[in-house]
Amino acid sequence: MVAIGSRESVIQNLEDAGCETGMIRDFLGWFDKGQQAKQLELLEHQREYLLGRVHTDERRISCLDYLIYQIQGTPTGKKPACKV
């Protein structure tokens, strides 16, 4: 097992990563039992969740960019409406 710092620093890191209290509790439970595979499973789940939010926000930004383009520019062709 690789040392990952003090318990307090691990908790702070998980909080900074947007993990909820229940997930932190579960992570520490697996930590205490030396179950790295379960810890990694929880971290990967949180990562996938956050990445999904990033992709959703990227699509929303693209929609805003398209509207800005329509307002500022003179569209040469008709483009389909943006769908999130």
Side-chain angles (χ1 to χ4, degrees), residues 4 7 10 13-15 17-51:
I4 58 173
R7 194 173 187 86
V10 170
N13 191 292
L14 293 169
E15 288 174 348
C19 299
E20 295 183 2
T21 304
M23 189 269 196
I24 294 172
R25 183 185 62 245
D26 292 346
F27 181 90
L28 293 174
W30 293 124
F31 178 79
D32 292 339
K33 294 176 183 174
Q35 296 290 322
Q36 287 181 329
K38 293 292 188 177
Q39 288 176 283
L40 291 171
E41 186 179 314
L42 289 173
L43 296 176
E44 184 61 30
H45 176 75
Q46 179 68 8
R47 185 181 188 283
E48 288 175 11
Y49 166 74
L50 293 173
L51 193 56

